[in-house]
Amino acid sequence: MSGRPLLNRRLDGLGTTIFAEMSALATATGAINLGQGFPDTDGPESVREAAVRALRDGRGNQYPPGPGIPELRQAIADHQRRFYGLSLDPDTEVLVTAGATEAIAATMLALLEPGDDVIAFEPFYDSYAACIAMAGAKRIPLTLRAPSFRPDLDELRSKITPQTRLLLLNTPHNPTGMVLTADEQSAIAALAVEHDLLVVTDEVYEHLVFDGAAHVPIAKLPGMRERTVSISSAGKTFSFTGWKVGWVMADGPLVSAVRTAKQYLTYVSAGPFQYAIAEALRLPDAYFDGFRTDLRRKRDLLGDGLRAAGFEVYQPEGTYFITTDITPFGEKNAYAFCRALPERCGVVAIPNSVFYDDPDAGRTQVRFTFCKKDDVLHEAASRLRHLAA
């Protein structure tokens, strides 16, 4: 074979995801895994039973419709109207995907071409970088800086050039827990309209906002409906991350473009689970309120434990992650710290530094997830207190 590298050069440097690496480390050491963001309990029993019922009734055991089953698309449209007052045509403005990850990939592949620039909040979820690279575009980071992680809107304006095609937003934001304010969203929307930019927004943590913060889809703002692709999923809201049911919501022409790319990725997926998520989206308000309240309590439980252990803790407004800083321990390398943490005290976390292009911006930041059982969080906090000693 020739000396040409086997891996497409666009993906050079991406390699194995940090989540796979750290989860494998948790398995190998028997450590408590507060790294990868998946719950250790299943979601509502009624939703799980809905999936079983669909399997037994033979619904979804063969290929479902390419855009998703009509029942789920209608439920997604109803959800947007119920919570946000947004009106969607379930037949032309909703597309079901294999989780939000595929939704992001299909959207980037559909809407970007080589030479396009994408401005994205840094630190960014690792699939963003890969999807932008696969589309042949260039990512332009807008760095969110501790302790508040608020976007610098003047800096955002300065980064927009004739090559800018798309703004990739994530609110509530993983990993920092930042939630965009109404004023920030209005300013971002004004820039998008002024420069005729597309906006893609990852909203998978939409129901996990705390302490008075509110999630409002940017698609609601003036001039944004026709230029915004909104992405969400069932995994984080209903604690069935393994089902991989996500969706894209946008004006018909945008959904049509994304569907063109999506049909050559998975084509379809999760047939029986689509029926179950259609039922989940219609759960009463008490479910969504209770879920949010429970996660806020878990956030505070772990946050108190991390402070007691000696971490600097940045209080998240949303998601189920807490970003911390390890400088109080005299540490300066989050990746090395996280590699050693399982042996030091039996806990796995994620170094935020892997989510930055700027190697210095997140060098001392470490992310923990709190979507675990109370006894697991208590035990993890107890183990981490060994660091204080």
Side-chain angles (χ1 to χ4, degrees), residues 54-289:
L55 282 164
R56 288 175 174 161
D57 292 346
R59 292 179 297 149
N61 293 334
Q62 308 306 326
Y63 293 134
I69 63 167
E71 292 89 338
L72 178 54
R73 286 184 278 118
Q74 183 65 60
I76 293 166
D78 291 345
H79 171 275
Q80 294 303 100
R81 184 179 299 108
R82 170 185 171 188
F83 287 99
Y84 310 119
L86 277 168
S87 179
L88 295 172
D89 183 336
D91 293 327
T92 61
E93 297 182 326
V94 178
L95 173 66
V96 177
T97 60
T101 304
E102 187 197 34
I104 293 163
T107 300
M108 296 297 109
L109 291 170
L111 302 181
L112 296 174
E113 294 184 357
D116 288 338
D117 285 354
V118 177
I119 300 176
F121 293 157
E122 178 188 51
F124 30 64
Y125 182 60
D126 62 349
S127 80
Y128 297 172
C131 293
I132 293 168
M134 285 188 285
K138 180 182 178 182
R139 65 182 182 271
I140 308 296
L142 180 72
T143 305
L144 307 178
R145 302 187 185 279
S148 67
F149 298 107
R150 311 264 25 123
D152 184 327
L153 299 177
D154 290 332
E155 184 182 358
L156 173 59
R157 175 180 286 278
S158 73
K159 289 180 178 289
I160 297 173
T161 71
Q163 286 71 49
T164 307
R165 166 72 166 170
L166 187 151
L167 304 180
L168 177 53
L169 309 179
N170 175 208
T171 181
H173 182 259
N174 173 17
T176 69
M178 180 274 298
V179 179
L180 287 175
T181 66
D183 288 345
E184 287 167 343
Q185 293 220 95
S186 294
I188 292 169
L191 287 173
V193 172
E194 177 186 349
H195 295 277
D196 194 24
L197 304 177
L198 294 172
V199 174
V200 176
T201 178
D202 177 351
E203 304 176 15
V204 299
Y205 296 99
E206 60 186 306
H207 288 290
L208 289 176
V209 290
F210 315 122
D211 304 333
H215 172 69
V216 178
I218 201 170
K220 287 194 66 174
L221 301 186
M224 295 306 292
R225 181 72 162 78
E226 64 272 19
R227 68 179 68 253
T228 300
V229 176
S230 304
I231 292 170
S232 194
S233 73
K236 302 302 190 293
T237 298
F238 302 109
S239 299
F240 290 111
T241 58
W243 291 7
K244 296 299 290 179
V245 180
W247 46 85
V248 167
M249 301 162 289
D251 261 11
L254 283 169
V255 166
S256 179
V258 176
R259 184 172 60 244
T260 300
K262 181 262 185 297
Q263 67 189 345
Y264 297 112
L265 297 174
T266 60
Y267 177 52
V268 293
S269 62
F273 300 135
Q274 291 190 33
Y275 290 95
I277 297 305
E279 294 192 25
L281 287 167
R282 294 195 165 94
L283 287 171
D285 289 354
Y287 167 76
F288 297 93
D289 294 341

